[in-house]
Amino acid sequence: DESTLKDMVKQGVEKLANMQCADGGWGWFSGWGEQSYPHTTAYVVHGMQVARANAVQLEPNMLDRGILWLKNHQAREVQMIKNGATETKPYKKVADNLDGFVYMVLADAGQENVEMREFLYRDRNHLAVYTKAMFGLALHKLNHKEQRDMLIQNVEQFLKQDDENQTAWLELPQDNYWWYWYGSEYEAQAYYLKLL
């Protein structure tokens, strides 16, 4: 029923608007002691981008505030990676899976941090297959075809085919962390198909 679906979507958007933290991001809870988390914010912003692409009415500025939160988060992560070269605290040595997810969501918003792209590309061997596919999608959207093609090649090293059954799948590495969001074999397969 079309009207029931529209009502469900409207209620869902209203709940997300009410759960948005004062700083523009989303966390597990809203209200006193609220704290925005990058994965939750990226997930919600990505969902709103899909909703907007399907003509769903969003609360004014809700999406823009979420995108700004992610941009600020990404800028802090870039600085931490730069700090990693000298081990100046706070620091991290490589771009990680969450950086790849945030990069994809921001690419969908037409935002690109060139330094983060360079770090993600440099550190792509540290990324899960799922994140490599996400990063490849972002590179495609931003027209970085040579780097995109390398990500496809990196993912396809896990491609298995059964000619007799006419099937193909990604066989994720043994050290795949299935209990983390980026360890999902099903989502990795889905994002690989989107990338193709």
Side-chain angles (χ1 to χ4, degrees):
D1 181 0
E2 189 79 20
S3 64
T4 301
L5 177 62
K6 285 182 180 176
D7 188 50
M8 290 169 64
V9 170
K10 183 178 181 228
Q11 288 178 32
V13 169
E14 287 172 2
K15 284 181 183 179
L16 288 173
N18 291 332
M19 293 176 70
Q20 190 169 24
C21 296
D23 62 7
W26 281 266
W28 285 108
F29 304 99
S30 58
W32 186 85
E34 66 186 7
Q35 182 179 357
S36 297
Y37 293 100
H39 180 264
T40 308
T41 302
Y43 199 79
V44 171
V45 169
H46 180 63
M48 287 191 300
Q49 290 169 328
V50 172
R52 187 176 65 185
N54 287 283
V56 171
Q57 259 326 84
L58 300 176
E59 298 286 324
N61 298 320
M62 183 171 67
L63 181 56
D64 292 339
R65 290 178 61 225
I67 290 168
L68 180 59
W69 192 94
L70 288 173
K71 283 179 65 174
N72 291 332
H73 166 78
Q74 186 178 66
R76 288 189 301 272
E77 295 298 299
V78 164
Q79 187 57 54
M80 284 177 56
I81 296 169
K82 287 179 178 179
N83 291 350
T86 59
E87 297 191 2
T88 305
K89 293 190 178 179
Y91 74 89
K92 65 184 196 178
K93 294 284 189 180
V94 296
D96 58 30
N97 291 293
L98 186 54
D99 293 325
F101 184 19
V102 170
Y103 183 86
M104 182 194 74
V105 172
L106 289 174
D108 286 344
Q111 306 290 322
E112 181 180 25
N113 184 313
V114 174
E115 290 176 302
M116 181 55 83
R117 174 172 46 91
E118 290 171 356
F119 287 133
L120 283 164
Y121 190 74
R122 177 196 75 186
D123 301 331
R124 67 189 181 277
N125 291 334
H126 296 279
L127 300 177
V129 174
Y130 181 5
T131 311
K132 286 178 179 145
M134 289 177 141
F135 183 38
L137 279 169
L139 291 169
H140 178 76
K141 180 162 227 127
L142 296 170
N143 207 30
H144 301 297
K145 294 178 181 172
E146 188 174 316
Q147 291 178 326
R148 176 210 58 202
D149 291 346
M150 178 56 74
L151 265 291
I152 291 171
Q153 185 178 337
N154 293 158
V155 171
E156 287 183 342
Q157 68 180 313
F158 301 102
L159 183 63
K160 302 291 181 191
Q161 294 181 320
D162 183 336
D163 293 333
E164 184 178 340
N165 291 321
Q166 297 181 351
T167 57
W169 68 96
L170 295 175
E171 188 172 286
L172 300 186
Q174 292 297 322
D175 64 349
N176 184 55
Y177 300 103
W178 57 266
W179 55 90
Y180 290 116
W181 66 268
Y182 51 81
S184 169
E185 64 181 302
Y186 307 109
E187 292 189 39
Q189 314 267 354
Y191 268 86
Y192 171 62
L193 290 174
K194 286 181 184 183
L195 179 56
L196 292 180

